[in-house]
């Protein structure tokens, strides 16, 4: 099976294709997973510079997809016709022009669109545009089936369009020795909680801090280590840290190198997240890869990622915005520490590169048979 994966998003930093693949691991993992599952995979990455390279059994091509008039560029036409794919896989639901033009270039070949945290439009006068934009797709890929419901409810998805559930991303992180990681990072705490995410409203750090404060009343050795990039709520977070229950136990690490996150996850005892919505949850995926038990909000993508772990006492889901429930979950897992190998086993089964490849191949096969 020949598969052509297309990413229409142009890197605003203008990095080379090689550098881009190091930074955008979702693109690389999707391609590598499908290739390892048996597909012959090529990737078109929208770019202002034309280049090509081979990596991990995948052929990558950087080129401009559409011209200023919204029509396919000669290089896109030439490349698509030369590759002659059996299946087209477009990253993103909102690239309507690219979807329409690709479908026209290869009529009859199944086109699948993969969701990357798109939001269904709430205003009815936008719905017609989405219906028309999604119409060329034979299938839509979501991380969790529940994420498709707003699109289906608004009748933005045609009846003939298949819906597929495939993890959005994977990780190359590996479990490491806990005590050694603590020595290398200086992380301490009983338990040591780790936050990895922006200090932004959707991530809800203020509720998480409230929950940690409540949990500290029952866990005097608790400490929280917070890694973050964008921080629009940093002032509010610092204000919340004036709570005596949080004094001396919250460490604002700020932005850390990606490789350091892997060590921090090995050193910590629990991951805490307060997201209201996510396309998938990169930090949670990385935590599972490291075997770090998560205490995360009960949202569709997180439910899909943790699977059976909460029932087995190896993870906890708590309702969005409810600090008291977060505190109870932290205390429960801290008093009965989960098995890290059990957490890693969930990663291997559900969102490893191999699992991602199996899911994509099932979607491709389903679309070809439709």
């Amino acid at each position: 099976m020949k598969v052509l994966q297309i990413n229409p998003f142009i890197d605003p930093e203008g990095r080379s294709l090689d550098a881009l693949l190091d930074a955008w691991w979702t693109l690389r993992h999707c391609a590598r997973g499908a290739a390892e599952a048996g597909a012959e995979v090529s990737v078109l990455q929208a770019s202002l510079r034309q280049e090509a390279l081979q990596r991990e059994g995948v052929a990558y091509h950087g080129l401009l997809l559409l011209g200023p008039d919204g029509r396919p560029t000669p290089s896109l036409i030439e490349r698509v016709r030369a590759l002659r794919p059996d299946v087209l896989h477009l990253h993103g639901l909102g690239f309507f022009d690219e979807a329409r033009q690709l479908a026209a270039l290869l009529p009859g070949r199944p086109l699948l669109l993969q969701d990357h945290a798109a939001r269904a439009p709430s205003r009815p006068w936008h719905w017609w545009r989405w219906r028309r934009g999604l119409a060329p797709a034979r299938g839509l890929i979501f991380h969790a089936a529940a994420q498709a419901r707003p699109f289906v409810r608004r009748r933005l998805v045609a009846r003939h369009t298949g819906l597929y559930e495939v993890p959005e991303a994977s990780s190359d992180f590996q479990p490491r020795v806990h005590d050694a990681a603590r020595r290398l990072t200086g992380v301490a705490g009983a338990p040591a909680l780790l936050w990895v995410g922006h200090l932004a409203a959707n991530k809800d750090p203020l509720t998480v801090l409230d929950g940690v404060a409540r949990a500290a009343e029952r866990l005097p050795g608790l400490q929280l280590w917070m890694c973050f990039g964008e921080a629009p709520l940093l002032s509010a977070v610092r204000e919340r840290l004036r709570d005596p229950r949080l004094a001396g136990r919250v460490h604002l690490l700020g932005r850390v190198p990606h490789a350091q996150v892997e060590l921090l996850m090995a050193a910590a005892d629990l991951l805490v997240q307060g997201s209201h919505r996510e396309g998938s949850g990169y930090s949670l995926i990385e935590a599972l890869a490291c075997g770090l038990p998560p205490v995360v909000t009960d949202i569709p993508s997180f439910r899909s990622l943790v699977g059976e772990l909460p029932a087995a006492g190896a993870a906890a889901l708590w309702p969005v915005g409810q600090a008291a429930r977060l505190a109870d979950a932290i205390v429960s897992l801290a008093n009965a520490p989960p098995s890290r190998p059990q957490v890693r086993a969930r990663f291997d089964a559900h969102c490893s590169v191999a699992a991602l490849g199996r899911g994509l191949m099932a979607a491709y096969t389903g679309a070809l048979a439709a």
Side-chain angles (χ1 to χ4, degrees), residues 226-229 251-256:
M226 301 185 77
C227 307
F228 53 89
H251 311 271
L252 301 178
L253 303 178
R255 191 182 298 274
V256 302

Side-chain angles (χ1 to χ4, degrees), residues 131-209:
R131 289 189 187 110
R132 187 177 67 175
L134 298 180
R138 193 174 296 182
L140 303 179
I141 301 172
F142 290 88
H143 180 93
Q147 293 170 319
R149 289 175 191 155
F151 296 89
V152 173
R153 198 162 49 239
R154 293 168 173 83
R155 300 182 183 176
L156 308 181
V157 181
R159 290 185 178 181
H160 68 267
T161 306
L163 298 175
Y164 302 96
E165 189 174 26
V166 183
E168 184 186 14
S170 186
S171 174
D172 292 321
F173 282 4
Q174 295 290 329
R176 292 171 176 256
V177 177
H178 182 66
D179 291 342
R182 284 210 165 190
R183 287 193 297 272
L184 287 169
T185 60
V187 165
L193 310 181
L194 181 66
W195 160 286
V196 181
H198 300 310
L199 300 184
N202 179 59
K203 307 294 186 180
D204 205 355
L206 301 181
T207 295
V208 168
L209 288 172

Side-chain angles (χ1 to χ4, degrees), residues 289-327:
C290 293
L292 177 62
V295 182
V296 296
T297 39
D298 191 1
I299 60 176
S301 62
F302 286 179
R303 271 199 307 274
S304 175
L305 282 168
V306 301
E308 74 287 349
L309 290 179
L317 293 166
W318 56 281
V320 169
Q322 297 192 25
R325 295 287 296 277
L326 167 59

